[in-house]
């Protein structure tokens, strides 16, 4: 079985609080602290935010999407313009996903052991995406952390389908390792699949661990399973992964999901929720979610969250003003609410890290959730 060659990537654990971990992962574009939340920049941009605005939220690492960037503008153009960091003006760490999640969610996808065939959503041409091609695109884009091409098993799935997904995921991982050429510049993470079948998760994890990868992800937990199943899968799978490597839970999620997963020993997260919710007028606060489009905020003189230090909350922008912006369909509504929501998520993981360093994570989580959920339904 192939093994990943050694790379100049370092992960150090600074503290534990129960199973929760505080660490640091060093990449060619600098270190980032864990637990870490990665804002999603699908097309090379976090929606409705400039790179400086993203930095101001204390984000240290962002995610970009291999599939979308390969379709438009194309990885070769990105490379000619200096690589992904220069292209999107982000000098910190970047992670690119393999594109598998997006591809498997497309209609009329043909999945074979060789790879995946589908229609290009831009021009309608037939595209074959293989493990080799996914790695080639990511090598060309130049992100610091790249993801293996895996089969993202849908939910619900019977055991036969889940087993096939694990078999392909492991076979494709081997091919990804062989295709990976920039081994000293990019850390290639493997992805544990297996749907809701814990014995399949375990066997997949064991096979990936034998390859001695620089990091490991848990995939297929943000495709509709819900909070309880997510927790069950994560609680079982995270302890199986090496203690001296970063652990990444893909596509998660809501604050309650993130806190539960940190408690299980997860280090890294990404999700579109902060910016997607922001564009529809939903803001996260320490007292729960609020809908700024709700008429009750039309005369509200308070900021989104009086306890928040983001520029949207400290810049004199009231809930009444934001309500007006959404009603008027002004783009500033999405900008300000996105700034706040991404800052809220960064604050969540930063305060979680501090609680771990002080060995009080369980107390912090309980206190946060009591305030967050205690206000009842979202306003």
């Amino acid at each position: 079985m192939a093994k990943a060659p050694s790379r100049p990537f370092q992960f150090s654990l600074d503290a534990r609080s129960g199973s929760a971990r505080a660490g640091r992962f060093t990449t060619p574009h600098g270190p980032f602290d864990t637990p870490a939340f990665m804002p999603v920049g699908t097309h090379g941009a976090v929606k409705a935010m400039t790179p400086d605005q993203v930095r101001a939220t204390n984000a240290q690492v962002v995610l970009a999407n291999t599939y979308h960037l390969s379709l438009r503008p194309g990885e070769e153009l990105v490379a000619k313009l200096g690589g992904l960091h220069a292209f999107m003006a982000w000098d910190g760490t970047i992670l690119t996903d393999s594109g598998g999640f997006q591809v498997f969610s497309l209609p009329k996808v043909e999945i074979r052991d060789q790879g995946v065939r589908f229609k290009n959503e831009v021009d309608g041409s037939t595209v074959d995406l293989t493990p080799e091609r996914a790695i080639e695109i990511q090598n060309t884009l130049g992100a610091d952390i790249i993801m293996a091409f895996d089969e993202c098993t849908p939910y619900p799935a019977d055991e036969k389908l889940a087993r096939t997904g694990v078999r392909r995921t492991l076979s494709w991982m081997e091919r990804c390792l062989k295709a990976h050429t920039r081994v000293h510049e990019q850390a290639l993470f493997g992805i544990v699949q297996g749907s809701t079948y814990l014995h399949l998760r375990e066997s997949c994890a064991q096979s990936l661990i034998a390859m001695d990868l620089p990091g490991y992800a848990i995939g297929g937990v943000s495709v509709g399973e819900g909070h309880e199943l997510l927790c069950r899968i994560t609680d079982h799978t995270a302890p199986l992964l090496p203690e001296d490597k970063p652990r990444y839970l893909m596509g998660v999620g809501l604050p309650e999901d993130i806190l539960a997963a940190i408690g299980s020993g997860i280090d890294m997260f990404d999700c579109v929720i902060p910016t997607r919710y922001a564009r529809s007028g939903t803001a996260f606060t320490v007292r729960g979610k609020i809908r700024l489009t709700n008429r009750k905020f039309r005369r509200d003189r308070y900021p989104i969250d009086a306890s928040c230090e983001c520029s949207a909350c400290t810049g004199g922008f009231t809930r009444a003003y934001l309500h007006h912006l959404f009603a008027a369909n002004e783009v500033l509504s999405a900008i300000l609410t996105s700034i706040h929501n991404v800052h809220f998520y960064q604050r969540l993981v930063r305060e979680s890290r501090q609680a771990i360093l002080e060995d009080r994570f369980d107390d912090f989580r309980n206190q946060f959730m009591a305030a967050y959920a205690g206000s009842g339904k979202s306003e």
Side-chain angles (χ1 to χ4, degrees):
M1 182 173 289
K3 287 190 176 184
S6 60
R7 302 172 177 84
F9 295 88
Q10 295 182 344
F11 180 68
S12 60
L13 276 178
D14 300 322
R16 293 180 178 85
S17 182
S19 296
R21 296 142 50 97
R24 174 170 288 194
F25 191 52
T26 302
T27 78
H29 284 86
F32 62 87
D33 294 326
T34 65
F37 180 83
M38 299 179 283
V40 175
T42 300
H43 297 275
V46 178
K47 288 187 184 298
M49 295 180 71
T50 68
D52 283 344
Q53 288 170 335
V54 176
R55 288 187 194 94
T57 68
N58 296 308
Q60 298 172 303
V61 49
V62 299
L63 179 147
N65 182 260
T66 297
Y67 164 69
H68 290 290
L69 289 171
S70 69
L71 295 185
R72 190 168 44 201
E75 72 276 8
E76 294 295 343
L77 178 58
V78 173
K80 287 179 181 178
L81 294 173
L84 189 55
H85 291 85
F87 187 64
M88 59 188 288
W90 179 263
D91 58 3
T93 298
I94 300 175
L95 180 148
T96 46
D97 59 18
S98 69
F101 179 84
Q102 286 72 27
V103 169
F104 290 113
S105 65
L106 294 173
K108 299 181 180 179
V109 174
E110 181 184 348
I111 306 171
R112 303 168 296 166
D113 285 353
Q114 179 60 25
V116 180
R117 175 168 290 178
F118 59 96
K119 293 291 184 181
N120 183 327
E121 63 183 84
V122 174
D123 61 16
S125 62
T126 299
V127 178
D128 288 303
L129 187 59
T130 63
E132 291 80 8
R133 176 65 180 138
I135 295 300
E136 178 187 21
I137 296 168
Q138 293 185 88
N139 282 168
T140 304
L141 290 172
D144 303 280
I145 303 170
I146 65 176
M147 302 304 298
F149 190 63
D150 64 322
E151 181 171 341
C152 184
T153 307
Y155 174 81
D158 60 30
E159 186 172 344
K160 181 179 179 182
L161 182 61
R163 190 179 296 278
T164 298
V166 169
R167 177 181 62 79
R168 285 201 180 111
T169 291
L170 294 173
S171 173
W172 291 354
M173 181 73 242
E174 294 270 4
R175 290 163 58 187
C176 286
L177 278 172
K178 292 177 182 177
H180 185 28
T181 59
R182 300 182 66 178
V183 296
H184 297 295
E185 302 160 276
Q186 297 178 302
L188 173 59
F189 283 22
I191 304 172
V192 179
Q193 289 289 354
S195 187
T196 59
Y197 303 95
L198 300 185
H199 62 288
L200 294 182
R201 291 278 180 180
E202 189 164 344
S203 64
C204 187
Q206 290 172 347
S207 295
L208 290 172
I209 292 167
M211 300 180 194
D212 193 23
L213 303 167
Y216 298 87
I218 300 173
V221 291
S222 58
V223 291
E225 295 89 346
H227 181 74
E228 289 187 10
L229 272 177
L230 182 150
C231 292
R232 181 169 175 262
I233 294 166
T234 306
D235 283 346
H236 182 83
T237 308
L240 303 174
L241 302 175
E243 290 221 353
D244 61 345
K245 304 288 180 69
R247 303 165 178 172
Y248 167 27
L249 189 62
M250 303 182 75
V252 174
L254 291 167
E256 55 266 35
D257 299 329
I258 290 174
L259 286 176
I262 290 174
S264 297
I266 296 295
D267 307 303
M268 298 167 58
F269 304 88
D270 80 279
C271 195
V272 298
I273 282 177
T275 49
R276 178 173 291 173
Y277 278 35
R279 295 193 300 278
S280 65
T282 296
F284 291 88
T285 80
V286 293
R287 300 290 295 174
K289 299 189 294 290
I290 62 172
R291 288 277 295 180
L292 292 165
T293 53
N294 192 316
R295 187 173 176 82
K296 66 185 287 185
F297 296 117
R298 190 166 67 93
R299 300 179 184 276
D300 194 322
R301 298 182 180 183
Y302 288 98
I304 298 173
D305 186 340
S307 71
C308 180
E309 297 180 351
C310 79
S311 59
C313 290
T314 60
F317 305 109
T318 64
R319 294 174 176 182
Y321 179 61
L322 282 155
H323 176 86
H324 156 70
L325 292 179
F326 279 107
N329 199 29
E330 286 286 349
V331 69
L332 186 58
S333 61
I335 293 170
L336 292 174
T337 312
S338 294
I339 288 171
H340 169 78
N341 280 357
V342 173
H343 187 278
F344 176 90
Y345 271 64
Q346 296 304 328
R347 176 183 174 184
L348 179 66
V349 293
R350 187 173 67 252
E351 291 182 352
S352 295
R353 174 181 169 82
Q354 188 61 38
I356 296 167
L357 292 173
E358 296 172 3
D359 195 17
R360 55 176 181 84
F361 177 74
D362 283 345
D363 287 342
F364 165 76
R365 176 174 55 182
N366 292 337
Q367 291 168 6
F368 176 92
M369 289 307 304
Y372 183 77
S375 58
K377 294 182 179 180
S378 300
E379 298 176 351

